[in-house]
């Protein structure tokens, strides 16, 4: 792993879970982690309910945009965290892979997305600990 850990979050549409995770990791790491996100079949825009759920906790994910998953993005990452992208996620030896089984916020209301957001936050905080990065609160 490089001096600055590089983490890639991947889900199918790159519009909800992976965007929330990337936003939280960027926010909580204070820039100490290089963060990317991508999707195996990216949507046109970020889920507005995910945007609102993140806004509630002071994290702005409106600057992100769904991006297509590439082999280069995986190669450039130390840790690849998948969230339901299935067999579309490429595998490269030497990378650390984690699979976070999380509900999909697509089509859900804010009440249903909040617990997903909170679980992502818990996992991101655990990841920071594993990476040896102190959260910037």
């Amino acid at each position: 792993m490089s001096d600055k850990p590089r983490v890639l979050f991947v889900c199918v549409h790159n519009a909800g879970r992976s965007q929330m995770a990337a936003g939280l990791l960027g926010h909580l790491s204070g820039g100490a982690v290089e963060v990317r996100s991508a999707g195996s079949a990216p949507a046109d825009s970020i889920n507005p309910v995910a945007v609102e759920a993140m806004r509630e906790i002071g994290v702005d994910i409106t600057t992100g945009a769904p991006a297509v998953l590439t082999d280069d993005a995986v190669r450039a990452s130390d840790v690849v965290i998948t969230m339901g992208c299935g067999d579309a996620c490429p595998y490269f030896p030497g990378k650390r892979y984690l699979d976070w089984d999380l509900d999909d916020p697509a089509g859900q209301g804010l009440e249903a997305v909040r617990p997903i957001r909170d679980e992502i936050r818990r996992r991101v905080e655990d990841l920071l600990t594993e990476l040896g990065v102190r959260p910037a609160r």
Side-chain angles (χ1 to χ4, degrees), residues 77-121:
S77 301
D78 299 308
V79 180
V80 179
I81 300 174
T82 60
M83 303 175 190
C85 70
D87 294 336
C89 295
Y91 177 82
F92 293 98
K95 304 296 175 189
R96 180 174 175 210
Y97 288 86
L98 300 170
D99 183 51
W100 290 358
D101 185 18
L102 298 161
D103 290 336
D104 189 346
Q108 305 277 355
L110 191 55
E111 290 296 320
V113 173
R114 284 181 182 128
I116 299 168
R117 173 203 63 203
D118 295 344
E119 178 61 17
I120 291 171
R121 182 180 186 125

Side-chain angles (χ1 to χ4, degrees), residues 1-6 78-79 96 131:
M1 196 175 308
S2 65
D3 291 341
K4 187 175 189 176
R6 298 166 299 190
D78 299 308
V79 180
R96 180 174 175 210
L131 294 173

Side-chain angles (χ1 to χ4, degrees), residues 32 45 101 133:
S45 61
D101 185 18
V133 175

Side-chain angles (χ1 to χ4, degrees), residues 45-70:
S45 61
I46 298 176
N47 179 336
V49 179
V51 169
E52 180 58 30
M54 296 301 288
R55 184 175 290 127
E56 288 182 344
I57 61 168
V59 178
D60 181 9
I61 61 171
T62 60
T63 59
V68 68
L69 176 64
T70 65

